[in-house]
């Protein structure tokens, strides 16, 4: 169903978009590092909450993308358009509710999640959280429209808008931090501005009449409970999976915050740098939503498995190069962040261990995209939530609290989690033909 040219047209912009998102995140951390380690730590704490919220909203967008892609595979473009309207409506309302809760809670919420941290760290976190919370509705609309364009096989649009959004972010950071000396707020305001512009552009583009999937008028946002049920049947398990995953990461961030500022800063920098290693798999996973969704909708589950194996192999080939580079140049990369000698040493150790462990990551995190696109989201949710809390978090606390391995103990718990996921999802993937389901 997809030629090599089709795959490249879909995947290449996704990889570029993923790279841009991560590089901008790294630039944010580098720029705020000029303000001090307290600022780096405060931004890191808030980002763990923001990622939770954004990924839950993105999970709902994935549900809409799967439904739309399967309708396209069935040659039912009218139903695909109806699903698009429902997706944008649901994510907009939900994101507005979350923003209000974040603005009202702010310092109190941060205190509940992270406990007692240094006063300077908390003050920076409060400022950053208050500003970036305003951007949640805009990033929700952007992600929903981007998912719809991807379900059409058009990932170039989201790449171009991402370039615009991230350019605003980076230029704004430079002006606000180094020119206006706004501190942490100088990182937050450009993020808000970039997401606002991206959302407006996406809303305009999704209405174009030459799109197979489009939203023509506001009446299409009126609730259609059959479509909403189809979207939520994937979006809710996917959202719960992403939400529990991020809740787990917040619990680990809370654990790390108890180890001191050096541990928080080293963990933030190492986590930021190794995100580069996830780029190929994340881009391929987003592509698999479209590819597998359309294949399953057309009844071609054999092709869905073939494409998954092919793209997972490509993921491994890219990882060999990236992990080698990360191990060899980890020291200079960490040096860019201007951490203390203690924090730098910890970061380098974490990066090396993480790069080696990436040998199991594609099986644990790329294959589940295929399962979700074949409406097996409840299974991936159950396995992921179980593995996150039983293996990653429990072992992290064991290694840190009982065996006193420091922040590296968090990494070791994560690796055990990966191994379990890889084994279970690989077995589930073998029976895809028997379990794949298409939307009604």
């Amino acid at each position: 169903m997809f030629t090599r040219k089709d795959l490249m047209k879909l995947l290449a912009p996704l990889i570029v978009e993923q790279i841009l998102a991560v590089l901008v995140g790294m630039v944010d951390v580098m720029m705020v590092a000029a303000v001090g380690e307290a600022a780096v730590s405060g931004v890191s704490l808030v980002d763990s909450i923001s990622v939770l919220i954004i990924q839950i909203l993105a999970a709902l967008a994935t549900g809409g993308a799967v439904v739309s892609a399967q309708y396209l595979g069935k040659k039912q473009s009218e139903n695909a358009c109806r699903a698009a309207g429902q997706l944008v409506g649901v994510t907009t309302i939900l994101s507005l509710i979350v923003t209000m809760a974040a603005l009202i809670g702010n310092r109190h919420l941060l205190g509940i999640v992270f406990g007692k941290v240094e006063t300077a760290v908390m003050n920076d976190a409060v400022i950053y959280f208050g500003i970036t919370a305003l951007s949640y509705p805009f990033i929700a609309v952007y992600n929903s429209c981007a998912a719809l364009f991807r379900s059409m096989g058009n990932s170039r649009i989201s790449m171009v808008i991402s370039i615009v959004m991230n350019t605003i972010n980076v230029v704004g950071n430079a002006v606000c931090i180094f020119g206006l000396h706004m501190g942490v707020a100088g990182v937050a305001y450009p993020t808000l501005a970039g997401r606002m512009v991206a959302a407006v552009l996406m809303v305009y583009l999704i209405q174009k009449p030459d799109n197979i999937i489009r939203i023509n008028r506001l009446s299409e946002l009126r609730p259609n409970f059959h479509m909403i049920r189809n979207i939520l049947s994937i979006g809710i398990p996917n959202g719960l999976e992403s939400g529990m995953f991020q809740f787990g990461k917040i619990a680990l961030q809370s654990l790390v915050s108890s180890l001191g500022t050096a541990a928080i800063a080293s963990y933030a920098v190492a986590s930021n740098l190794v995100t580069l290693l996830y780029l190929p798999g994340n881009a391929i996973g987003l592509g698999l939503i479209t590819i597998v969704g359309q294949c399953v909708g057309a009844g071609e589950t054999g092709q869905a498995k073939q494409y998954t194996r092919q793209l997972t192999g490509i993921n491994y080939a890219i990882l060999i190069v990236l992990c080698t580079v990360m191990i060899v140049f980890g020291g200079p990369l960490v040096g860019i962040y201007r951490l203390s000698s203690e924090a730098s040493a910890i970061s380098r150790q974490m990066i090396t261990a993480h790069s080696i462990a990436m040998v199991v990551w594609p099986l644990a995190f790329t294959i589940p995209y295929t399962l979700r696109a074949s409406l097996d989201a409840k299974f991936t949710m159950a396995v992921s939530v179980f593995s996150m809390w039983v293996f990653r978090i429990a072992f992290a606390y064991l290694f840190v609290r009982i065996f006193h391995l420091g922040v590296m103990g968090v990494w070791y718990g994560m690796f055990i989690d990966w191994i379990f996921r890889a084994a279970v999802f690989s077995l589930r993937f073998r029976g895809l033909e028997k379990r794949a389901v298409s939307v009604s």
Side-chain angles (χ1 to χ4, degrees), residues 94-113:
L94 179 59
S95 62
L96 287 170
I97 294 171
V98 171
T99 293
M100 290 177 61
L103 292 175
I104 293 170
N106 205 332
R107 184 182 291 269
H108 182 65
L109 177 61
L110 292 172
I112 291 174
V113 174

Side-chain angles (χ1 to χ4, degrees), residues 273-281 319 322-323 326 354-355 358:
L273 285 171
V274 299
T275 304
L276 290 169
L277 304 179
Y278 305 149
L279 297 181
L319 277 177
L322 290 180
C323 290
M326 193 65 70
H354 190 286
S355 299
M358 284 296 291

Side-chain angles (χ1 to χ4, degrees), residues 85-277:
Q86 300 308 300
L87 171 62
V88 173
V90 168
T91 53
T92 299
I93 292 172
L94 179 59
S95 62
L96 287 170
I97 294 171
V98 171
T99 293
M100 290 177 61
L103 292 175
I104 293 170
N106 205 332
R107 184 182 291 269
H108 182 65
L109 177 61
L110 292 172
I112 291 174
V113 174
F114 300 113
K116 292 184 178 180
V117 297
E118 295 180 13
T119 302
V121 173
M122 179 58 75
N123 288 340
D124 283 337
V126 168
I127 294 170
Y128 187 69
F129 192 30
I131 299 168
T132 54
L134 295 171
S135 72
Y136 297 155
F138 300 104
I139 195 65
V141 171
Y142 165 80
N143 281 333
S144 296
C145 293
L148 294 171
F149 276 112
R150 287 194 295 269
S151 68
M152 294 183 256
N154 183 355
S155 56
R156 182 178 174 275
I157 292 293
S158 60
M159 179 193 72
V160 171
I161 303 304
S162 178
I163 291 172
V164 173
M165 176 172 62
N166 290 315
T167 299
I168 293 172
N169 197 347
V170 172
V171 174
N173 284 344
V175 172
C176 293
I177 293 176
F178 300 113
L180 302 178
H181 305 289
M182 294 173 62
V184 172
V187 180
Y189 280 117
T191 298
L192 172 60
R195 290 174 178 176
M196 290 175 67
V197 172
V200 170
L201 290 174
M202 276 297 198
V203 169
Y204 169 74
L205 291 171
I206 200 66
Q207 300 177 65
K208 292 282 188 177
D210 55 339
N211 294 328
I212 302 175
I213 299 175
R214 58 190 176 276
I215 300 174
N216 294 317
R217 46 194 174 273
L218 288 175
S219 62
E220 293 181 348
L221 304 180
R222 188 178 303 146
N224 179 319
F225 293 105
H226 175 71
M227 288 293 174
I228 292 174
R229 188 162 52 248
N230 280 337
I231 293 170
L232 295 184
S233 68
I234 305 161
I236 288 179
N238 200 22
L240 287 173
E241 178 183 338
S242 296
M244 294 305 292
F245 183 78
Q246 292 303 322
F247 268 124
K249 291 182 74 173
I250 291 173
L252 295 178
Q253 183 75 66
S254 181
L255 175 63
V256 171
S257 68
S258 69
L259 299 175
T261 301
I264 297 174
S266 61
Y267 183 77
V269 168
S271 298
N272 194 250
L273 285 171
V274 299
T275 304
L276 290 169
L277 304 179

Side-chain angles (χ1 to χ4, degrees), residues 22-66:
V22 171
L23 288 179
V24 168
M26 293 173 65
V27 169
D28 280 353
V29 176
M30 290 176 189
M31 288 186 176
V32 80
V35 184
E37 281 196 7
V40 173
S41 300
V43 169
S44 173
L45 295 180
V46 172
D47 278 346
S48 61
I49 295 178
S50 293
V51 169
L52 162 66
I53 294 167
I54 292 169
Q55 289 209 356
I56 290 175
L57 296 171
L60 289 176
T62 297
V66 169

